[in-house]
Amino acid sequence: MTQDVRDAIIIGSGPAGYTAAIYLGRAGYRPLIIAGALTPGGQLVNTTEVENFPGFPEGILGPDLMENMRAQAEKFGAEIEYDDVTSVDFSQPVKSVVTDSGTTYRAHSVVITTGSEYRKLGVPGEQEYSGRGVSYCATCDGFFFKNKPIVVIGGGDSAMEEADFLSRYGSSVTLIHRRDQFRASKIMVDRVEANPNISLRLNSVVTAVRGDSGGATSIELEDTVTGERTAIEANGVFVAIGYTPQTSFLGQSVKLDQDGYILTSPDATSTSVPGVFAAGDAVDRVYRQAISAAGSGCKAALDAQAFLGALQSEEQLQASAS
């Protein structure tokens, strides 16, 4: 089934998608949000307390924040479909978006806010204790592990930054890496090695996360050289092994970098295709915060408004000329 041509479609939800919808809705464009079938609201729906989003001095639960944003978008005229986009066609002035249900939606402009997902360890206990000790964001959750033992898993700059950041909270911080050499830049490695609150466990992989009704209590390690198995006490288990942008459905429709992040114009949210914009963690490989995603969603909506306004002016000129 094919729908009528809309002004704007937003692929994805979360802070970027809902913010874009609020702005486009207030401008009168009644955007369609294709929010996803399983996890509408993005990563924050799996987050407990959010203490660093402005305007909530007592904090707010991640699902509540996303529910508030969704309701605000709908208040201003956004329509939401809980479906997954499987393919797109941006080759024509009117863009086409196909969902898993077999529906084809068409629009003059598209804003992509599908985000990225944390790479998982894939070990027993990781999912069970996610949000109860296992975390993928030090700046989001580090405070909750004050004076408790913490481990960080990874060998890149992100892992180094998280270990250094968490060292101000944890009673101890152990950085675990599967090899004896780090991928991180030398300055980041030097900083971690000079930090007396951080210890290193190299040539080690996590094989399980263990815990009880109160949350994670320890992890199990295997030495990649000797095969020896040991356990480390840990209430905070921070996984920092990278991210995967959720952009595979785009194919070759817009330009992506080598890791799959959407490439946008400098100081703008426009992609390689006129009328297609991108915001949030599908673009941002640096900041990855709810507030920065929301800000980029605002920018994408304003860029889309400018595009739609120019399109309408051109159509009016053509109509008057005929």
Side-chain angles (χ1 to χ4, degrees), residues 42-43 113-120 242-247 260-261 279-285 288:
Q43 294 174 1
T113 65
T114 45
S116 64
E117 59 183 355
Y118 301 106
R119 289 182 187 155
K120 306 296 198 310
Y243 303 81
T244 302
Q246 300 187 77
T247 57
Y261 289 90
D281 286 6
V283 178
D284 174 20
R285 61 166 69 237
R288 306 180 190 281

Side-chain angles (χ1 to χ4, degrees), residues 55-78:
F56 300 93
E58 302 303 319
I60 184 171
L61 295 177
D64 290 346
L65 179 60
M66 289 300 92
E67 176 64 18
N68 289 347
M69 286 190 178
R70 181 203 59 76
Q72 191 172 0
E74 288 187 311
K75 173 186 175 181
F76 292 116

Side-chain angles (χ1 to χ4, degrees), residues 24-286:
L24 284 166
R26 290 185 74 248
Y29 289 110
R30 299 184 62 84
L32 170 67
I33 307 171
I34 305 178
L38 296 178
T39 57
Q43 294 174 1
L44 281 188
V45 298
N46 298 317
T47 303
T48 51
E49 188 114 14
V50 179
E51 295 186 314
N52 55 4
F53 198 92
F56 300 93
E58 302 303 319
I60 184 171
L61 295 177
D64 290 346
L65 179 60
M66 289 300 92
E67 176 64 18
N68 289 347
M69 286 190 178
R70 181 203 59 76
Q72 191 172 0
E74 288 187 311
K75 173 186 175 181
F76 292 116
E79 180 185 347
I80 302 180
E81 290 289 341
Y82 296 101
D83 204 349
D84 293 318
V85 174
T86 55
S87 65
V88 299
D89 183 354
F90 296 155
S91 62
Q92 302 298 319
V94 175
K95 287 77 177 170
S96 298
V97 174
V98 181
T99 65
D100 191 50
S101 65
T103 303
T104 299
Y105 298 95
R106 299 188 299 158
H108 296 294
S109 67
V110 174
V111 178
I112 305 166
T113 65
T114 45
S116 64
E117 59 183 355
Y118 301 106
R119 289 182 187 155
K120 306 296 198 310
L121 296 170
V123 301
E126 179 180 19
Q127 182 174 347
E128 179 182 356
Y129 294 106
S130 179
R132 298 194 302 127
V134 175
S135 173
Y136 304 88
C137 178
T139 56
C140 306
D141 299 328
F143 178 80
F144 299 112
F145 300 97
K146 197 167 186 178
N147 299 320
K148 295 180 179 180
I150 294 172
V151 298
V152 177
I153 302 127
D157 279 352
S158 294
M160 301 295 157
E161 289 174 7
E162 295 214 346
D164 190 55
F165 175 81
L166 291 165
S167 68
R168 70 188 70 174
Y169 295 112
S171 59
S172 65
V173 175
T174 304
L175 180 63
I176 299 163
H177 185 43
R178 63 186 305 120
R179 291 181 285 273
D180 60 358
Q181 298 290 325
F182 293 111
R183 301 188 313 275
S185 57
K186 184 177 185 302
I187 188 171
M188 295 302 300
V189 174
D190 290 345
R191 184 177 301 167
V192 163
E193 290 180 339
N195 190 324
N197 296 325
I198 301 174
S199 59
L200 305 179
R201 284 291 296 267
L202 305 182
N203 293 322
S204 298
V205 294
V206 177
T207 56
V209 179
R210 303 300 182 194
D212 54 29
S213 59
T217 58
S218 66
I219 60 167
E220 295 181 2
L221 293 177
E222 179 179 323
D223 190 297
T224 59
V225 177
T226 67
E228 179 186 4
R229 290 179 175 266
T230 57
I232 293 180
E233 184 182 6
N235 295 125
V237 181
F238 287 83
V239 182
I241 57 175
Y243 303 81
T244 302
Q246 300 187 77
T247 57
S248 59
F249 69 93
L250 293 170
Q252 304 297 314
S253 60
V254 298
K255 288 184 179 179
L256 309 174
D257 71 10
Q258 62 183 5
D259 296 319
Y261 289 90
I262 302 170
L263 294 172
T264 57
S265 302
D267 300 321
T269 63
S270 52
T271 69
S272 57
V273 178
V276 178
F277 308 90
D281 286 6
V283 178
D284 174 20
R285 61 166 69 237
V286 178

Side-chain angles (χ1 to χ4, degrees), residues 284-306:
D284 174 20
R285 61 166 69 237
V286 178
Y287 299 105
R288 306 180 190 281
Q289 300 297 303
I291 188 62
S292 58
S296 68
C298 164
K299 293 196 293 184
L302 294 175
D303 288 345
Q305 286 179 40

